[in-house]
Amino acid sequence: LARSYKMVVEQSKNVLYVGGLVESVAEETLHAAFIPFGDISQVNLPKDSEKKNRGFAFIEFDDENDAEEACFNMNGAELFGRFLRVSVAKPESQDSAKPVWSADSWFQNLQQGDLVENQQEKRPPLAPTTTSTK
């Protein structure tokens, strides 16, 4: 299934993820808020089945330095009473829609106990708990 909001996000750093948006925000509003930092190629505001925005957007700048400047200045900024979360967009991984247990190896590791052992090795040791009596 192709998603209507999918943008081509490669290893480029000129596409920003903008989260924390209210339902009423429009592409034009985002364009106006981010244009002071540089030329914008595209604003993509994904919609759900009811045509409401999903609370995040992707903004593609022509220049990577402009995107970096926008990210630095707009992360934490307020828009319509909400604080924005702005970061460089990450490319969608091939397996992003698959749960971890969809791979046969996950079940094999679980059966062999490797998963539990590996998790314990990666965790920092627990600090001993002390109980005080008053």
Side-chain angles (χ1 to χ4, degrees):
L1 282 176
R3 295 181 181 152
S4 61
Y5 65 88
K6 191 171 183 178
M7 275 181 84
V8 177
V9 180
E10 297 172 1
Q11 286 302 98
S12 176
K13 294 185 178 183
N14 63 330
V15 179
L16 299 181
Y17 164 85
V18 181
L21 301 174
V22 296
E23 283 183 8
S24 62
V25 75
E27 288 182 9
E28 295 79 18
T29 306
L30 291 173
H31 190 276
F34 282 84
I35 195 68
F37 303 103
D39 293 332
I40 295 173
S41 305
Q42 183 178 4
V43 175
N44 191 322
L45 187 61
K47 310 271 187 204
D48 63 14
S49 61
E50 297 174 1
K51 304 292 183 203
K52 294 179 184 175
N53 84 54
R54 297 182 59 190
F56 63 91
F58 297 99
I59 300 176
E60 182 178 2
F61 282 86
D62 289 343
D63 184 69
E64 188 176 308
N65 292 327
D66 294 342
E68 184 179 320
E69 189 72 21
C71 184
F72 178 77
N73 285 285
M74 294 299 286
N75 187 39
E78 189 176 346
L79 183 67
F80 295 135
R82 296 265 231 31
F83 293 102
L84 301 179
R85 295 181 311 276
V86 182
S87 62
V88 174
K90 297 177 183 169
E92 184 176 20
S93 70
Q94 298 286 335
D95 298 327
S96 66
K98 295 180 182 177
V100 294
W101 53 85
S102 67
D104 290 336
S105 60
W106 189 84
F107 283 110
Q108 290 169 352
N109 290 339
L110 183 65
Q111 290 173 347
Q112 296 170 359
D114 293 342
L115 189 64
V116 174
E117 291 172 12
N118 288 339
Q119 291 298 325
Q120 289 175 347
E121 290 173 8
K122 292 179 185 176
R123 289 188 198 143
L126 295 174
T129 57
T130 59
T131 56
S132 61
T133 56
K134 292 185 179 182

